[in-house]
Amino acid sequence: MADQIHYQSVRQMSDALLAKDISVIELADAHFERIEQIDDRVGSYLAVTPERAREQATTAQASIDSGNVTPLTGVPMQLKDNLATRGIPTTCSSLMLENFVPPYDSTVTASLANTGAILLGKGNMDEFAMGSSTETSAYKLTRNPWDLSRVPGGSSGGPAAAVAGGLAPYSLGSDTGGSIRQPASFCGIVGLKPTYGLVSRFGLIAFASSLDQIGPLTRTVEDAALVMNAIAGPDTNDSTSILRPVIDYSIGLKDGVKGLRIGVVPEYFGEGIDPQVAQLTRKAIQQLEFLGAEVSEVSLPNSKAALAVYYILAPSECSANLARYDGVKFGFSTHDAPNMMAALEATREGGFGTEVKRRMMMGTYALSSGYYDAYYKKAQQVRTLIRREFDAAFEKVDVLITPTTPTTAFKLGEIQDPVVMHANDVCTVPANIAGIPGISIPCGAINGLPVGLQILGPHLSEATLLRTAYAYEQSTSWHAQHPTI
Amino acid sequence: MTEYEPVIGLEVHAQLITNSKMFCSCPADYQSAPPNTHVCPVCLGLPGTLPVINSEAIKKIILTGLALNCSIAEQTKFDRKSYPYPDLMKGYQISQFDLPICYDGHLDIDVDGEARRIGIERIHMEEDVAKLFHRTEAGSGEGYALVDVNRAGVPLMEMVGRPDIRSAEEARQYLVAYRSILQYIGVSTGSMEEGSFRCDANVSIRPKGVLEYGTKVEVKNMNSFRAVFHAIEFEIERQSKVLNEGGRIVQETRGWVEAKGETISLRSKEKANDYRFFPEPDLPPLIVKQSWVAEIAELLPELPIERRVRFEDELGLSPYDAGQVTASPRLADYYESVIQHYIEINGPSGTIAKSAANWTITELGRLSNDGQIPVEDSPLKAEYLAELIGLIDQKIIGTSQAKIAAESMFTTGKSAKITVEELGLAQITDSSAIGDAVREVIEANPSAVADYMAGKETAAKFFVGQVMKVTKGKANPTIVSELIIEQLEAKK
């Protein structure tokens, strides 16, 4: 049992626990063993938390024995290291937070704990979630389980690699410009970025507050629905969370796509998109059409401005969000300085990596007096245009389908030019700008490397996205393929 | 020498009285708590935490706006103001930039009998910062600072006044009037000493008759009303001197140094911070429903100016007296309570309004100053002051005895009757007892009697003085005079 179980779905693991085929602790230990065996090659975990897992397992097992369960009870999971975990270091893969142990749980950490989920450890990521390859982590590289010479994507590279490599059945990531969907695509798994405000951001260490959103990385679409059931919903600690009753995302999941109106956006298949990726995406759309969906073309000309808007707004917000790291109250600190301002400068010089500094500089510039109108304000105006364009599109179609990424996973160290790296987010960024949900699911492979398909929908259309994704997934076998590692 | 006209605008920060802080549920009372005990991950600015707006604070700033004749924004928002300093937990302060909650109001003041209307540009909501304590290491002499985060996140309201003020005295009056309103509507303690009420002044001067503003200087670190007055006076004089000597005013921030009685340059405008304001993404725009504003308007109590007018109209107080007793709402309550108690004890009176005002302002005002305790907080309760005034009116004690009694009551808190009794202050009204004293004095001063007989009527006054001396001031002076004349006339 133990040697096949890591590629089972959350649902299957839950069933095994309920059938008493395996105990909660055995299931967690099976994962810790696999982490022990292969994670020195994958590098998906920054830290493992067997003690916490053991504590949680006792409670979860009692819940299972008494029949008081959800499908996540007793099932292990990983959290991206920008999600606050009480008593467990939360570093954002930054030297700056090397010794930071939060005295509180993020809302999602608490929600999962309350439902009996078992924490295996914290996932590696790009520093402060800034990057598309997980190479900006201050601590380690994460490798793509499909090809260890390649990146897993980013910034949720640790979570994606862990889920793809059978090192966790699911993980929570965060997505500011594609940080869940792009690595999910690179690693051949499911990644859902929910509507902005659907999942509480409390305890998510902020990168860009108006864009950040937490979501699941899973191996099946159904699992994504199950995890959403546990983490979605209003939170009084997050004023931007949407006040709406929680719904059950597994209801209607299997209703199919008959009559579903799919929009194909030519702008997402043009320049910069690998023709083979475009071709696999079109093939997937044909498959959905075959399953009963109606396909039409929808133009989104403003989408091409999304990347520029993103690279003004996200750095602007991060320049303020990261201002608190001054070495005074927590985290990395340099004391050897003649005065307070010098100590602050030395702390920030030593504690932050290059990409983080670059973005803070860009943001500080964009918000500066005299430049604000030309950059930040203009970007906000264009953001409104992009939002309206999506709104208009969703009056004609139910969902839009695009490639998730322009290419398959690239090699470690292959992309050095930050502008080229930033261009990796071209298909995913518009959803963050508009605050709409998007899901990436596997739709094939090129030379053994997974390709992802992105489905976008209007605000709070997660159920539709999951239903569409499920219909496609069940009619193909991509989700059943796993890397051999 | 050119004659200059000062142009002054005040920016006043006032902490709001709320149970919890502006963006978290920590208790907002930070003064009494041991350092760093009223803190949580949110007000400590720990990573991943998010602000949640305190609706009580919003209610109180709207109440303030209404009391100051402001428009209340239907849609408002918060912004981040960035600057690096260790008193700022997040590296930015959540404040309001271009859409303040309250805007376009005014405050009417009375300066030397002249009514002045001072415009209010805006009142916006923000959070207070942590408190820094600068220390020096005993041995090495090295400087360091301690941070108390209790104050970080306390609701802070900033009022920006228009540059309509033309003198230091106007500035002082305006500040007093503003504080008085905040106290009346119960939104702030308004204590400059405790730092819950802070004022910065923008001061410029221009040649009389010129409309264009001069270069303004921002003056900070004024910790009392007196300091505001003196700092502005100083600044007007300094600027006039610079201009008269052919110099140029530099746009800068200056600090008031109380000990030296002067302002010194803190930083020039060129080195000023670029705060990089942008909308706070963690807080959605705040929609203020007009129905809510209407509900809040219902809560507006009688304001100082309304109470003053009422005291003038209904009680016949002079504008000065009315202004004095309505300076703070609690003093006005005290004053009204004295009158009420007096009427309960003695029945209606045509003089009590004036005498209660005199006692409250002059005599208790002096004791309050000496004892550094507000009249309304002193042990001398309103009902005992009413009792004391009653004793005077019934001629049981004289005014000078009453002052002695009041001084004692101000510290002991004992009733007027008990105090008068214990200190033996009651007047002697018994004619036979006073008659004995008069006889004694007349017999002892034959030469004065001779003077009286010779027609020197003033000699009678000498006898009054002597009788008062013998009775230790307790004899009723009217009865004394009557008996002296009676006895002297009998000798004729």
Side-chain angles (χ1 to χ4, degrees):
Chain A
M1 184 81 201
D3 34 65
Q4 313 115 27
I5 200 159
H6 0 85
Y7 282 129
Q8 290 192 357
S9 67
V10 170
R11 175 66 87 185
Q12 288 168 320
M13 289 186 194
S14 176
D15 289 345
L17 288 169
L18 291 178
K20 305 283 167 82
D21 291 340
I22 192 166
S23 71
V24 174
I25 200 77
E26 284 166 351
L27 183 59
D29 280 344
H31 283 90
F32 285 123
E33 271 166 42
R34 184 162 171 87
I35 293 165
E36 177 83 29
Q37 282 164 13
I38 66 163
D39 203 47
D40 59 341
R41 281 181 285 156
V42 179
S44 66
Y45 282 83
L46 280 175
V48 287
T49 53
E51 280 176 32
R52 176 65 54 95
R54 231 155 264 281
E55 287 165 30
Q56 292 179 327
T58 310
T59 318
Q61 190 65 56
S63 299
I64 288 170
D65 294 345
S66 68
N68 176 24
V69 293
T70 75
L72 301 188
T73 310
V75 177
M77 55 87 189
Q78 183 208 53
L79 295 172
K80 189 176 181 180
D81 206 31
N82 56 358
L83 296 168
T85 41
R86 188 191 186 111
I88 293 169
T90 302
T91 69
C92 276
S93 287
S94 180
L95 210 53
M96 193 55 103
L97 288 176
E98 193 177 16
N99 54 15
F100 178 61
V101 180
Y104 50 94
D105 273 331
S106 73
T107 298
V108 292
T109 305
S111 301
L112 288 180
N114 289 339
T115 199
I118 311 298
L119 181 68
L120 295 171
K122 306 295 293 283
N124 194 22
M125 56 187 280
D126 280 299
E127 184 178 8
F128 281 104
M130 298 177 199
S132 306
S133 67
T134 313
E135 290 169 297
T136 70
S137 169
Y139 299 107
K140 54 158 68 169
L141 286 174
T142 299
R143 292 162 190 276
N144 192 317
W146 293 90
D147 177 348
L148 295 177
S149 70
R150 291 178 187 270
V151 301
S155 66
S156 310
V163 173
L167 296 155
Y170 71 97
S171 182
L172 292 189
S174 64
D175 190 316
T176 307
S179 282
I180 289 173
R181 291 160 291 160
Q182 185 255 20
S185 169
F186 277 12
C187 292
I189 58 167
V190 177
L192 171 65
K193 180 206 94 78
T195 302
Y196 182 79
L198 183 57
V199 178
S200 168
R201 290 184 296 116
F202 184 83
L204 164 65
I205 298 182
F207 160 17
S209 313
S210 78
L211 302 160
D212 295 343
Q213 186 58 196
I214 298 167
L217 293 103
T218 59
R219 286 190 290 262
T220 70
V221 174
E222 185 188 17
D223 287 356
L226 298 179
V227 176
M228 282 302 288
N229 284 347
I231 62 171
D235 179 11
T236 51
N237 286 327
D238 177 359
S239 306
T240 62
S241 79
I242 298 169
L243 288 171
R244 198 184 79 139
V246 184
I247 65 168
D248 183 345
Y249 291 98
S250 56
I251 292 173
L253 187 65
K254 301 170 183 177
D255 287 356
V257 291
K258 212 164 182 55
L260 182 85
R261 297 170 302 166
I262 294 175
V264 179
V265 190
E267 287 87 355
Y268 284 74
F269 289 85
E271 202 190 334
I273 309 293
D274 180 333
Q276 284 180 284
V277 168
Q279 197 196 343
L280 281 172
T281 310
R282 288 191 188 281
K283 220 173 136 193
I285 293 166
Q286 280 166 17
Q287 174 72 11
L288 282 161
E289 197 169 14
F290 172 76
L291 293 171
E294 296 158 14
V295 178
S296 62
E297 199 167 273
V298 179
S299 178
L300 294 172
N302 287 325
S303 267
K304 64 176 182 296
L307 201 62
V309 168
Y310 177 82
Y311 276 101
I312 289 168
L313 296 185
S316 294
E317 292 181 17
C318 99
S319 73
N321 280 331
L322 273 61
R324 72 192 65 198
Y325 305 111
D326 57 8
V328 174
K329 301 179 294 294
F330 53 83
F332 179 86
S333 185
T334 301
H335 296 287
D336 189 19
N339 58 51
M340 191 265 298
M341 286 313 281
L344 184 114
E345 279 169 23
T347 294
R348 292 170 69 79
E349 174 60 38
F352 288 129
T354 307
E355 183 63 22
V356 172
K357 284 180 197 159
R358 180 179 3 257
R359 297 203 195 190
M360 287 191 298
M361 289 298 291
M362 284 162 63
T364 302
Y365 181 84
L367 291 174
S368 294
S369 151
Y371 297 98
Y372 181 89
D373 286 356
Y375 293 103
Y376 185 85
K377 197 172 167 194
K378 182 72 77 186
Q380 285 290 18
Q381 289 164 341
V382 179
R383 181 178 198 173
T384 304
L385 292 180
I386 292 170
R387 227 180 238 154
R388 287 196 192 135
E389 191 174 82
F390 272 113
D391 288 347
F394 289 125
E395 282 180 7
K396 295 185 211 123
V397 297
D398 300 309
V399 297
L400 296 166
I401 294 187
T402 77
T404 307
T405 56
T407 65
T408 53
F410 45 88
K411 293 223 173 227
L412 287 157
E414 183 183 330
I415 300 180
Q416 295 296 333
D417 181 348
V419 178
V420 176
M421 187 68 94
H422 294 175
N424 231 277
D425 303 329
V426 67
C427 300
T428 47
V429 151
N432 301 82
I433 298 298
I436 59 172
I439 189 170
S440 178
I441 53 168
C443 70
I446 301 168
N447 300 327
L449 295 173
V451 173
L453 163 82
Q454 178 177 237
I455 310 171
L456 302 173
H459 283 90
L460 298 170
S461 65
E462 281 77 5
T464 310
L465 299 192
L466 289 163
R467 174 163 61 92
T468 311
Y470 185 82
Y472 176 79
E473 175 194 73
Q474 294 301 308
S475 73
T476 60
S477 61
W478 308 119
H479 66 287
Q481 297 183 13
H482 304 294
T484 47
I485 179 167
Chain B
M1 276 217 302
T2 321
E3 207 184 326
Y4 293 103
E5 176 185 52
V7 174
I8 302 153
L10 299 187
E11 290 173 14
V12 185
H13 284 90
Q15 284 172 350
L16 292 178
I17 303 166
T18 53
N19 289 327
S20 56
K21 290 187 181 180
M22 189 61 225
F23 298 116
C24 65
S25 53
C26 285
D29 91 85
Y30 66 95
Q31 302 274 12
S32 55
N36 298 313
T37 52
H38 287 181
V39 296
C40 74
V42 176
C43 57
L44 281 166
L46 294 189
T49 57
L50 298 169
V52 176
I53 297 171
N54 179 344
S55 68
E56 184 65 18
I58 302 298
K59 189 171 141 187
K60 291 202 158 139
I61 192 174
I62 291 174
L63 191 66
T64 308
L66 293 172
L68 291 162
N69 314 291
C70 288
S71 301
I72 309 299
E74 286 180 42
Q75 183 171 336
T76 176
K77 69 176 170 74
F78 286 89
D79 299 274
R80 291 184 181 178
K81 178 182 181 178
S82 290
Y83 62 96
Y85 208 66
D87 64 1
L88 203 49
M89 294 299 106
K90 299 182 292 294
Y92 57 84
Q93 180 189 32
I94 304 178
S95 180
Q96 296 195 287
F97 182 51
D98 54 346
L99 292 176
I101 296 180
C102 313
Y103 59 96
D104 283 350
H106 62 260
L107 177 56
D108 291 326
I109 54 169
D110 188 275
V111 183
D112 298 331
E114 190 197 344
R116 296 272 292 122
R117 172 162 289 186
I118 310 297
I120 287 166
E121 188 182 315
R122 56 185 284 168
I123 311 173
H124 70 254
M125 197 69 244
E126 56 188 32
E127 54 179 339
D128 211 341
V129 297
K131 216 169 173 175
L132 295 184
F133 296 88
H134 295 279
R135 297 281 158 83
T136 309
E137 192 87 55
S140 65
E142 219 176 314
Y144 65 99
L146 297 172
V147 187
D148 179 6
V149 187
N150 284 351
R151 196 178 68 178
V154 167
L156 193 63
M157 177 170 78
E158 179 173 353
M159 185 272 275
V160 180
R162 294 198 189 279
D164 296 343
I165 299 170
R166 296 289 173 264
S167 73
E169 178 54 20
E170 265 183 42
R172 202 186 60 81
Q173 294 272 2
Y174 169 73
L175 204 56
V176 167
Y178 179 57
R179 181 177 72 164
S180 173
I181 287 175
L182 299 190
Q183 291 174 333
Y184 264 75
I185 62 178
V187 301
S188 179
T189 60
S191 165
M192 280 190 105
E193 292 71 26
E194 285 177 2
S196 64
F197 189 78
R198 302 163 221 160
C199 172
D200 299 333
N202 287 305
V203 182
S204 66
I205 59 170
R206 61 185 175 191
K208 261 222 157 94
V210 171
L211 284 178
E212 202 182 318
Y213 292 134
T215 304
K216 72 177 177 189
V217 165
E218 187 179 10
V219 186
K220 289 181 174 290
N221 303 339
M222 300 168 291
N223 297 322
S224 66
F225 290 94
R226 253 189 80 247
V228 171
F229 177 82
H230 289 298
I232 292 173
E233 286 269 276
F234 176 88
E235 197 51 29
I236 293 168
E237 219 160 288
R238 185 190 69 83
Q239 293 185 16
S240 308
K241 194 159 174 262
V242 169
L243 292 184
N244 281 332
E245 286 169 0
R248 186 174 73 85
I249 305 297
V250 184
Q251 189 171 353
E252 61 183 344
T253 301
R254 297 180 70 87
W256 172 247
V257 183
E258 183 78 45
K260 290 186 177 173
E262 61 183 38
T263 64
I264 55 160
S265 181
L266 295 178
R267 59 176 179 267
S268 73
K269 190 68 192 172
E270 288 72 45
K271 283 186 191 164
N273 283 313
D274 178 357
Y275 293 121
R276 305 196 307 279
F277 277 103
F278 76 101
E280 167 57 277
D282 287 331
L283 294 170
L286 185 66
I287 311 295
V288 180
K289 286 202 185 116
Q290 291 310 296
S291 57
W292 193 42
V293 175
E295 269 173 48
I296 295 170
E298 295 284 314
L299 303 174
L300 265 185
E302 186 182 35
L303 295 174
I305 191 159
E306 293 164 352
R307 205 166 190 180
R308 213 177 70 202
V309 168
R310 180 165 65 84
F311 283 2
E312 288 175 31
D313 292 351
E314 289 179 8
L315 303 174
L317 290 191
S318 69
Y320 175 82
D321 284 355
Q324 290 290 311
V325 292
T326 55
S328 93
R330 293 183 54 236
L331 183 66
D333 288 346
Y334 182 90
Y335 168 72
E336 283 199 295
S337 175
V338 171
I339 294 176
Q340 202 185 326
H341 281 292
Y342 181 92
I343 292 169
E344 271 169 28
I345 304 166
N346 306 290
S349 151
T351 56
I352 181 59
K354 176 69 185 159
S355 53
N358 285 345
W359 274 93
T360 309
I361 300 162
T362 315
E363 200 51 29
L364 299 196
R366 183 179 64 78
L367 293 169
S368 157
N369 263 342
D370 293 351
Q372 288 296 299
I373 180 168
V375 168
E376 61 273 21
D377 290 334
S378 78
L380 174 43
K381 288 194 219 153
E383 78 176 280
Y384 295 154
L385 179 59
E387 196 186 1
L388 187 67
I389 297 172
L391 293 180
I392 302 167
D393 291 352
Q394 291 158 31
K395 305 205 188 313
I396 292 171
I397 56 170
T399 308
S400 50
Q401 278 89 356
K403 286 181 183 172
I404 295 166
E407 190 163 350
S408 162
M409 290 158 75
F410 200 81
T411 47
T412 64
K414 288 182 181 171
S415 81
K417 279 198 178 116
I418 290 174
T419 305
V420 165
E421 207 165 285
E422 283 184 358
L423 299 180
L425 296 171
Q427 273 186 357
I428 302 165
T429 50
D430 178 353
S431 298
S432 67
I434 296 172
D436 289 348
V438 169
R439 204 164 298 123
E440 201 180 301
V441 167
I442 288 175
E443 276 165 24
N445 293 286
S447 62
V449 173
D451 286 348
Y452 184 83
M453 294 303 172
K456 275 177 103 180
E457 304 259 316
T458 48
K461 282 203 177 129
F462 166 78
F463 287 112
V464 174
Q466 289 301 305
V467 172
M468 294 311 277
K469 203 168 162 187
V470 168
T471 59
K472 297 196 174 78
K474 285 186 281 183
N476 181 309
T478 316
I479 300 173
V480 171
S481 301
E482 281 168 16
L483 291 180
I484 286 169
I485 304 294
E486 195 182 300
Q487 290 196 25
L488 286 172
E489 285 301 316
K491 280 187 184 286
K492 270 188 180 167

